Every structure is written in C-alpha cells, then in structure tokens.
Amino acid sequence: MQFHPEVVHSQGGLALIRNFVYHICECEPTWTTEAFVEEAIREVRAKVGDKRVLLALSGGVDSSTLAFLLHEAIGDRLTCMFIDQGFMRKGEPERLMEIFAKQFHIPVEYVNARERFLEQIAGITDPEAKRRRIGHEFIRVFEEESQRLGPFDYLAQGTLYPDVIESADTNVDPKTGERVAVKIKSHHNVGGLPKNLRFKLVEPLRKLFKDEVRKVGHSLGLPEEIIRRHPFPGPGLAIRIIGEVTAERLNILRDADFVVRDEVLRQDRYNEFWQAFAVLLPVRSVGVMGDQRTYAYPIVLRLVSSEDGMTADWSRVPHDLLETISNRIVNEVKGVNRVVYDITSKPPGTIEWE
C-alpha cells in the first residue's frame, strides 16, 4: 500500500494521524501562521546578519510573500529583481512593476532579458533540458546584475515543499536502504541550479505548501490579487509549449492564455480553479474558417482543482464556459483553429504538460 499523508486524497489516513498525534499522544497543535512568520524572521536575521540579499521576484504569491517577509526582516538590505525572460503571461511584467512600485513602494530592478533566454532554448525540445537551461540562465543574469547592484551574499527564492519533493532524485536512503523519492520533474529553483552557484541560498518557505504560503501572505498584508493568483511555473510559457519554443509560438500561446484568464475572470470563476491555462501543441491540424482551409495549431485547455498542488483533479466546468473560451481563441488568436480540453487528473498526469 502506498500512502501519502501530506496530500488531500489521503484525508482518511490524515484523520487517523490527527487522532494519534492529538488525542493518543496528546500533542498540542502549536504551529500557527503568526508563529511561523516570527520564527522565519528570526532565522533570516540570524542567517543573513548584516549582509545583502537579492530576491528573484516573479510576481507570484511565493516570491511576493517572500519579498514581504524579507522586507520585514532586513529592510533595505533586500533588493528585489524582476528578470523578464519573455515567458510571462500577457501584461504581467507591467502589472508587477505597477503593484510593487505604486501600491507597496518596494523598489524592483527590472531586467529585460527576453532575447538571451529565447536563444538559450532555441531548438531544445526536451522538457528537463529546457528547465535546466532556463534555471542556469536565471543564475547567470542574477550574477551579472548583482555585480552592478551588489555585492550580494545571498539569493532568496520562494521554493516550496512540493518543489523539493518533485525535484528529488534520491532513490535509496543511504542509511536505511529504503526507497525515498523518485524525481518527477526539476523545478527551476531546485533542479535547475548549477553546482558552482556563487550565492548562498535563503529559502524561508521551503517547508510550506501553497495553501500555507497564502495564509502567510494574508498575515503579511499582501493584496488578494497576489494571494489568489494561480500558480505559474518558473520557466513560464516555455514549458506550456510542447517541444521547441519560438517567438511565434510564444505570441500565439500568450494570446490564447490571455483569453482563458480573461474569460474565467469575466465570469467570476477565477477562484474556483487551482490553475486555468492554455498549452500549445507543436502540430498542425486542418480546419475551415469561412470559405478558407486552415492548417494551424491546436490549443489545449487545462483547468484543474486542487488544495495544495500535490494532487489535482480536472475541473467539471460548464460547457458554455468551454464553448465561449474556444470560440474566442479560434476567432481572436491568429494561428489557432482547434481547441481541446484536458481531462487528466494528477496522478497519473502532472498539472503542467512539461
């Protein structure tokens, strides 16, 4: 029997664990969000001392929560840097800079590195190779920019526990001989880091799940727009394009993804999903639009429900929502003539396609 007490699908077993820990062992549930924040701030101050920290800010709930936490802990010794690698969703870089600069008055260094990232993965089709190259390029950019803004001793990352679990590549515990983990996929801030990393890492959120990070974000005063933002992978749209990534495919997917997000927001369904996004397949299918034959890309819609990202179920959305999204994509996005819906849960599939 395989049992994962940390995931929602094992709630029956989790109830047994709660009964054993709280009632039989009479342990007190002393972990609270406020206690975690206080402890994390103390640990960051003790580890960093009077050194400066560079934070890779993406605008998601993880890095944004980390930014608030670190700003609380070390103040102006934190430098936030946003690397625009060209794989973000439509309008997100501009919105990120607006929120942090105007609403929270937290300065962010903007770095436009779109061309160099696209060059790094040109012709690359293997998902792991994409992730590694993007992860390595992130570090290279950080190192270059830190020489301009630094010096910095620490690199802060919003690594979460699911990232650590899914990036694990240890099959056998060297002490017990027991099987402990199998790597599912490398996360850009776990499996993508080079061995000769010049920075020391600061990862206060490393033991938290996504739902716990959102609670921490609430306690730190993050706006709802950031807290409820759907998870977005570090490599961004580069791993939502199956196979080779090109500028043309990025533009097509970015426009299709915008339609998905715009429609679920317009219909007030955004918070019903863990993630709602589009995937571009590197094949073409025959279609007809008006009196013309088309030969264009298909787009896959991926809408899933989850509590923590460890497991997920495909969402049973109303057909009229799917119909509206499909019609808009086909009519508004040049280069697409077909839309399909992914009805695979996790497991056996992952939420992302790569």
Side-chain angles (χ1 to χ4, degrees):
M1 181 181 69
Q2 188 178 36
F3 174 59
H4 290 275
E6 75 277 11
V7 300
V8 175
H9 288 181
S10 297
Q11 284 300 309
L14 195 57
L16 294 175
I17 293 177
R18 286 197 181 100
N19 182 68
F20 176 76
V21 172
Y22 296 154
H23 299 115
I24 297 178
C25 298
E26 298 183 348
C27 293
E28 293 293 331
T30 56
W31 191 98
T32 64
T33 302
E34 291 72 20
F36 170 82
V37 171
E38 293 176 2
E39 181 180 358
I41 289 175
R42 286 196 302 269
E43 290 179 352
V44 167
R45 288 173 177 169
K47 181 175 183 176
V48 173
D50 61 354
K51 305 298 183 182
R52 297 180 64 196
V53 178
L54 176 63
L55 168 62
L57 184 66
S58 69
V61 63
D62 304 337
S63 65
S64 297
T65 298
L66 181 57
F68 273 60
L69 179 66
L70 292 176
H71 193 263
E72 182 76 19
I74 61 175
D76 59 7
R77 281 181 286 118
L78 168 69
T79 297
C80 296
M81 182 187 300
F82 172 64
I83 306 296
D84 186 354
Q85 86 287 53
F87 307 141
M88 297 292 288
R89 290 174 286 205
K90 191 171 185 176
E92 282 198 325
E94 297 80 5
R95 181 59 178 158
L96 169 65
M97 300 301 292
E98 178 184 354
I99 290 176
F100 270 79
K102 294 184 178 180
Q103 293 188 23
F104 302 116
H105 306 290
I106 298 177
V108 178
E109 292 290 333
Y110 173 83
V111 179
N112 187 342
R114 296 181 181 184
E115 291 187 6
R116 62 186 289 179
F117 274 89
L118 193 57
E119 291 174 358
Q120 277 294 318
I121 61 173
I124 303 300
T125 59
D126 179 73
E128 286 295 289
K130 282 186 196 176
R131 289 175 178 271
R132 285 193 299 270
R133 285 181 175 238
I134 292 172
H136 287 194
E137 192 64 17
F138 255 107
I139 299 302
R140 298 287 81 83
V141 174
F142 286 147
E143 289 179 337
E144 293 172 12
E145 294 298 322
S146 70
Q147 293 179 8
R148 177 175 65 89
L149 300 168
F152 298 97
D153 294 275
Y154 290 91
L155 171 65
Q157 294 192 135
T159 307
L160 305 190
Y161 196 51
D163 302 339
V164 178
I165 294 173
E166 293 189 339
S167 295
D169 58 5
T170 304
N171 292 322
V172 178
D173 187 310
K175 294 183 178 180
T176 65
E178 295 178 345
R179 183 180 181 87
V180 292
V182 175
K183 179 162 69 175
I184 298 172
K185 59 183 177 182
S186 294
H187 288 261
H188 73 288
N189 51 0
V190 181
L193 297 178
K195 294 181 180 180
N196 61 342
L197 181 66
R198 189 174 63 82
F199 301 105
K200 299 175 183 178
L201 294 180
V202 177
E203 300 175 305
L205 310 180
R206 190 179 179 89
K207 295 182 180 179
L208 300 186
F209 290 95
K210 181 72 72 172
D211 58 325
E212 295 171 324
V213 174
R214 289 195 170 111
K215 292 177 182 178
V216 172
H218 271 296
S219 69
L220 290 170
L222 266 72
E224 195 70 16
E225 176 181 351
I226 293 180
I227 291 174
R228 300 312 306 175
R229 178 181 184 262
H230 288 175
F232 189 63
L237 300 181
I239 58 169
R240 291 180 178 174
I241 296 174
I242 310 305
E244 182 179 4
V245 178
T246 66
E248 177 200 21
R249 291 176 177 179
L250 276 169
N251 289 332
I252 291 173
L253 179 58
R254 190 174 284 114
D255 287 342
D257 182 79
F258 174 79
V259 171
V260 177
R261 291 187 295 124
D262 183 60
E263 201 57 44
V264 296
L265 282 168
R266 191 183 68 81
Q267 297 195 24
D268 196 25
R269 293 183 177 274
Y270 186 84
N271 292 333
E272 295 179 10
F273 307 113
W274 173 262
Q275 284 177 257
F277 59 90
V279 176
L280 186 145
L281 299 184
V283 296
R284 296 178 188 266
S285 66
V286 175
V288 58
M289 298 183 71
D291 296 328
Q292 299 293 321
R293 174 186 183 273
T294 62
Y295 194 53
Y297 291 110
I299 288 291
V300 178
L301 302 182
R302 185 70 162 141
L303 288 78
V304 298
S305 303
S306 179
E307 292 291 332
D308 52 22
M310 293 298 295
T311 61
D313 196 13
W314 63 276
S315 298
R316 279 67 171 175
V317 298
H319 290 179
D320 60 347
L321 173 60
L322 294 178
E323 180 182 20
T324 301
I325 292 175
S326 177
N327 287 338
R328 284 192 58 187
I329 290 177
V330 171
N331 288 302
E332 297 176 20
V333 182
K334 185 178 180 180
V336 176
N337 66 353
R338 191 179 299 270
V339 177
V340 299
Y341 189 50
D342 183 352
I343 59 170
T344 310
S345 296
K346 174 186 180 181
T350 54
I351 296 176
E352 300 290 344
W353 272 52
E354 286 195 344

